[in-house]
Amino acid sequence: MTSLGHLNGKRVLICHFGSIGKAIWARLEDEGARVSEFEHGDAVPHDEVDIGICTSGRMLIQHPSTLQESAVRGMFELNYFIPRMFTESMLKAGAKLIIHIGSNSARYGKPFAEDYAAIKAALWKYCEVRGALAAKENGARITCINLGGVNNGFWKSVRSHKDFDVEAAANLIPTEGKGLTNAEVAELVLAICLLPPNVAVKDLLVV
Protein backbone atom coordinates (compact mmCIF):
# COMPACT_ATOMS: atom_id res chain seq x y z
CA MET A 1 0.00 0.00 0.00
CA THR A 2 1.40 3.38 -1.00
CA SER A 3 1.77 5.87 1.82
CA LEU A 4 0.62 9.42 1.28
CA GLY A 5 2.25 10.55 4.52
CA HIS A 6 -0.95 12.06 5.87
CA LEU A 7 0.16 11.58 9.48
CA ASN A 8 3.82 12.56 9.07
CA GLY A 9 5.38 13.15 12.48
CA LYS A 10 2.15 12.68 14.46
CA ARG A 11 2.76 11.02 17.83
CA VAL A 12 0.32 8.14 18.43
CA LEU A 13 0.07 6.00 21.57
CA ILE A 14 -1.83 2.69 21.50
CA CYS A 15 -3.08 1.02 24.67
CA HIS A 16 -3.54 -2.78 24.79
CA PHE A 17 -1.46 -4.09 21.95
CA GLY A 18 -3.59 -6.99 20.61
CA SER A 19 -4.07 -8.00 16.98
CA ILE A 20 -6.28 -4.98 16.24
CA GLY A 21 -3.71 -2.74 17.86
CA LYS A 22 -0.94 -4.24 15.70
CA ALA A 23 -2.96 -3.65 12.53
CA ILE A 24 -3.67 -0.04 13.53
CA TRP A 25 -0.01 0.49 14.44
CA ALA A 26 1.18 -0.76 11.04
CA ARG A 27 -1.38 1.26 9.08
CA LEU A 28 -0.69 4.53 10.88
CA GLU A 29 3.06 4.02 10.53
CA ASP A 30 2.46 3.62 6.79
CA GLU A 31 1.11 7.15 6.88
CA GLY A 32 4.16 8.52 8.66
CA ALA A 33 2.94 8.48 12.29
CA ARG A 34 5.34 7.84 15.18
CA VAL A 35 3.57 5.04 17.05
CA SER A 36 4.37 3.69 20.51
CA GLU A 37 2.70 1.37 23.00
CA PHE A 38 1.20 2.77 26.19
CA GLU A 39 0.59 0.33 29.02
CA HIS A 40 -1.82 0.95 31.85
CA GLY A 41 0.18 2.42 34.72
CA ASP A 42 2.78 4.08 32.51
CA ALA A 43 3.71 7.62 33.42
CA VAL A 44 1.96 10.29 31.40
CA PRO A 45 4.31 11.25 28.53
CA HIS A 46 6.00 14.61 28.94
CA ASP A 47 6.25 15.18 25.20
CA GLU A 48 3.26 16.13 23.12
CA VAL A 49 0.87 13.34 22.10
CA ASP A 50 -1.40 13.88 19.12
CA ILE A 51 -3.59 10.75 19.08
CA GLY A 52 -4.42 8.08 21.67
CA ILE A 53 -6.04 4.77 20.68
CA CYS A 54 -7.33 2.14 23.10
CA THR A 55 -8.28 -1.39 22.01
CA SER A 56 -8.56 -2.95 25.47
CA GLY A 57 -11.30 -5.53 25.97
CA ARG A 58 -12.36 -8.97 27.14
CA MET A 59 -15.54 -10.98 26.53
CA LEU A 60 -16.90 -14.03 28.33
CA ILE A 61 -19.77 -16.08 26.86
CA GLN A 62 -21.58 -18.06 29.53
CA HIS A 63 -24.75 -18.06 31.59
CA PRO A 64 -24.75 -15.04 33.94
CA SER A 65 -25.55 -17.24 36.94
CA THR A 66 -22.22 -19.04 36.51
CA LEU A 67 -20.00 -15.97 36.15
CA GLN A 68 -17.68 -15.57 39.11
CA GLU A 69 -17.28 -12.16 40.72
CA SER A 70 -13.61 -12.10 39.73
CA ALA A 71 -14.55 -12.65 36.07
CA VAL A 72 -17.00 -9.75 36.09
CA ARG A 73 -14.42 -7.51 37.75
CA GLY A 74 -11.85 -8.56 35.17
CA MET A 75 -14.16 -7.62 32.32
CA PHE A 76 -14.89 -4.28 33.98
CA GLU A 77 -11.15 -3.58 34.33
CA LEU A 78 -10.34 -4.29 30.68
CA ASN A 79 -13.49 -2.93 29.05
CA TYR A 80 -14.03 0.20 31.11
CA PHE A 81 -11.49 1.06 33.80
CA ILE A 82 -8.34 0.86 31.65
CA PRO A 83 -9.93 2.75 28.71
CA ARG A 84 -11.25 5.38 31.11
CA MET A 85 -7.86 5.96 32.75
CA PHE A 86 -6.15 5.94 29.36
CA THR A 87 -8.44 8.77 28.26
CA GLU A 88 -7.42 10.92 31.20
CA SER A 89 -3.73 10.17 30.63
CA MET A 90 -3.99 11.15 26.97
CA LEU A 91 -5.81 14.40 27.76
CA LYS A 92 -3.07 15.30 30.24
CA ALA A 93 -0.49 14.54 27.53
CA GLY A 94 -2.19 16.96 25.16
CA ALA A 95 -3.86 14.50 22.76
CA LYS A 96 -6.44 16.15 20.54
CA LEU A 97 -7.99 12.88 19.34
CA ILE A 98 -8.75 9.79 21.44
CA ILE A 99 -10.27 6.70 19.83
CA HIS A 100 -11.76 3.75 21.69
CA ILE A 101 -12.57 0.42 20.09
CA GLY A 102 -15.93 -0.48 21.60
CA SER A 103 -18.58 -3.01 20.63
CA ASN A 104 -22.03 -2.90 19.09
CA SER A 105 -23.01 -5.01 22.10
CA ALA A 106 -23.32 -1.63 23.81
CA ARG A 107 -26.56 -1.25 21.84
CA TYR A 108 -27.46 -4.78 20.83
CA GLY A 109 -26.50 -6.98 23.75
CA LYS A 110 -27.39 -10.67 23.64
CA PRO A 111 -28.01 -13.35 26.28
CA PHE A 112 -24.91 -15.03 27.69
CA ALA A 113 -22.94 -11.81 27.19
CA GLU A 114 -25.02 -9.46 29.37
CA ASP A 115 -22.18 -8.15 31.51
CA TYR A 116 -19.98 -7.50 28.49
CA ALA A 117 -22.80 -5.52 26.85
CA ALA A 118 -23.48 -3.49 30.00
CA ILE A 119 -19.81 -2.61 30.50
CA LYS A 120 -19.32 -1.65 26.85
CA ALA A 121 -22.42 0.55 27.14
CA ALA A 122 -20.80 2.27 30.11
CA LEU A 123 -17.68 2.99 28.02
CA TRP A 124 -19.80 4.31 25.17
CA LYS A 125 -21.67 6.70 27.50
CA TYR A 126 -18.44 7.78 29.19
CA CYS A 127 -16.93 8.69 25.81
CA GLU A 128 -20.04 10.67 24.89
CA VAL A 129 -20.24 12.67 28.11
CA ARG A 130 -16.49 13.04 28.70
CA GLY A 131 -16.05 13.99 25.06
CA ALA A 132 -18.34 17.00 25.47
CA LEU A 133 -16.25 18.25 28.40
CA ALA A 134 -12.95 17.49 26.66
CA ALA A 135 -14.04 19.48 23.62
CA LYS A 136 -14.83 22.47 25.80
CA GLU A 137 -11.78 22.29 28.11
CA ASN A 138 -9.09 20.78 25.87
CA GLY A 139 -10.30 21.19 22.31
CA ALA A 140 -10.04 17.39 22.10
CA ARG A 141 -12.26 14.85 20.33
CA ILE A 142 -13.20 11.46 21.79
CA THR A 143 -14.62 8.79 19.49
CA CYS A 144 -16.01 5.38 20.44
CA ILE A 145 -16.19 2.95 17.51
CA ASN A 146 -18.79 0.33 18.38
CA LEU A 147 -17.73 -2.55 16.16
CA GLY A 148 -19.50 -5.73 15.18
CA GLY A 149 -17.56 -8.98 15.31
CA VAL A 150 -13.96 -8.96 14.08
CA ASN A 151 -12.43 -12.20 12.83
CA ASN A 152 -9.21 -12.38 14.83
CA GLY A 153 -7.52 -14.03 17.81
CA PHE A 154 -9.88 -12.34 20.26
CA TRP A 155 -12.36 -15.17 19.74
CA LYS A 156 -9.72 -17.80 20.45
CA SER A 157 -9.34 -16.37 23.94
CA VAL A 158 -13.13 -16.30 24.33
CA ARG A 159 -13.41 -19.97 23.34
CA SER A 160 -10.56 -21.01 25.65
CA HIS A 161 -12.37 -19.99 28.85
CA LYS A 162 -13.29 -23.01 30.95
CA ASP A 163 -16.98 -22.02 31.16
CA PHE A 164 -17.36 -21.12 27.48
CA ASP A 165 -20.91 -21.90 26.28
CA VAL A 166 -20.67 -23.37 22.77
CA GLU A 167 -24.40 -23.25 22.05
CA ALA A 168 -24.79 -19.63 23.11
CA ALA A 169 -21.72 -18.63 21.11
CA ALA A 170 -23.35 -19.64 17.84
CA ASN A 171 -25.23 -16.33 17.78
CA LEU A 172 -22.35 -14.22 19.03
CA ILE A 173 -19.14 -15.22 17.27
CA PRO A 174 -18.76 -14.05 13.66
CA THR A 175 -18.45 -16.72 10.99
CA GLU A 176 -15.63 -16.62 8.47
CA GLY A 177 -16.29 -13.99 5.82
CA LYS A 178 -18.98 -12.15 7.79
CA GLY A 179 -16.98 -10.33 10.44
CA LEU A 180 -14.63 -7.42 9.91
CA THR A 181 -10.90 -7.95 9.50
CA ASN A 182 -8.18 -6.25 11.53
CA ALA A 183 -7.10 -4.43 8.37
CA GLU A 184 -10.61 -3.04 7.85
CA VAL A 185 -10.70 -1.77 11.43
CA ALA A 186 -7.31 -0.13 10.90
CA GLU A 187 -8.62 1.64 7.77
CA LEU A 188 -11.60 2.89 9.76
CA VAL A 189 -9.33 4.26 12.49
CA LEU A 190 -7.12 5.91 9.89
CA ALA A 191 -10.15 7.59 8.31
CA ILE A 192 -11.08 9.11 11.68
CA CYS A 193 -7.49 10.25 12.24
CA LEU A 194 -7.57 12.09 8.90
CA LEU A 195 -10.72 14.07 9.61
CA PRO A 196 -10.34 17.85 9.95
CA PRO A 197 -9.81 18.99 13.57
CA ASN A 198 -13.23 20.65 13.62
CA VAL A 199 -15.03 17.40 12.70
CA ALA A 200 -15.86 15.17 15.67
CA VAL A 201 -17.23 11.64 15.32
CA LYS A 202 -18.69 11.13 18.77
CA ASP A 203 -20.32 7.77 18.14
CA LEU A 204 -19.76 5.33 15.29
CA LEU A 205 -21.71 2.07 14.99
CA VAL A 206 -20.22 -0.48 12.59
CA VAL A 207 -22.18 -3.67 11.93
Side-chain angles (χ1 to χ4, degrees):
M1 188 176 295
T2 302
S3 170
L4 297 177
H6 289 305
L7 295 176
N8 266 348
K10 295 287 186 182
R11 177 85 190 281
V12 180
L13 295 186
I14 297 179
C15 179
H16 204 267
F17 198 51
S19 61
I20 290 179
K22 290 178 182 178
I24 294 171
W25 183 312
R27 189 66 188 92
L28 299 192
E29 273 196 340
D30 282 345
E31 294 297 334
R34 296 179 295 127
V35 187
S36 303
E37 184 177 6
F38 183 86
E39 295 185 1
H40 177 61
D42 284 354
V44 177
H46 293 296
D47 50 341
E48 189 77 9
V49 174
D50 297 292
I51 301 169
I53 301 168
C54 186
T55 68
S56 181
R58 173 184 291 169
M59 183 183 198
L60 297 175
I61 299 176
Q62 65 187 85
H63 196 282
S65 68
T66 67
L67 266 178
Q68 298 296 314
E69 180 179 335
S70 59
V72 178
R73 288 181 180 274
M75 279 198 291
F76 180 83
E77 170 117 356
L78 285 170
N79 290 303
Y80 181 81
F81 181 73
I82 287 177
R84 187 252 185 234
M85 299 310 297
F86 175 74
T87 298
E88 299 306 324
S89 293
M90 292 302 97
L91 289 172
K92 289 177 183 177
K96 295 304 181 184
L97 175 61
I98 300 167
I99 300 172
H100 289 280
I101 302 299
S103 169
N104 65 13
S105 291
R107 293 189 183 186
Y108 308 119
K110 294 183 179 180
F112 294 85
E114 296 89 348
D115 292 278
Y116 177 78
I119 296 167
K120 284 297 188 182
L123 174 63
W124 172 33
K125 181 54 67 175
Y126 170 79
C127 289
E128 178 188 345
V129 178
R130 186 65 177 95
L133 184 61
K136 181 179 180 180
E137 293 184 339
N138 308 81
R141 298 168 290 158
I142 300 176
T143 295
C144 185
I145 306 175
N146 285 318
L147 295 174
V150 181
N151 277 308
N152 58 23
F154 175 82
W155 298 106
K156 183 177 180 180
S157 67
V158 171
R159 290 187 181 95
S160 67
H161 192 271
K162 63 182 180 65
D163 293 317
F164 174 70
D165 191 303
V166 177
E167 185 176 345
N171 294 320
L172 290 166
I173 296 182
T175 56
E176 202 66 41
K178 289 190 176 180
L180 297 167
T181 66
N182 289 332
E184 288 168 338
V185 176
E187 289 297 330
L188 185 59
V189 169
L190 174 62
I192 293 172
C193 291
L194 296 179
L195 289 172
N198 63 324
V199 177
V201 178
K202 296 180 180 179
D203 171 30
L204 183 59
L205 178 66
V206 183
V207 296

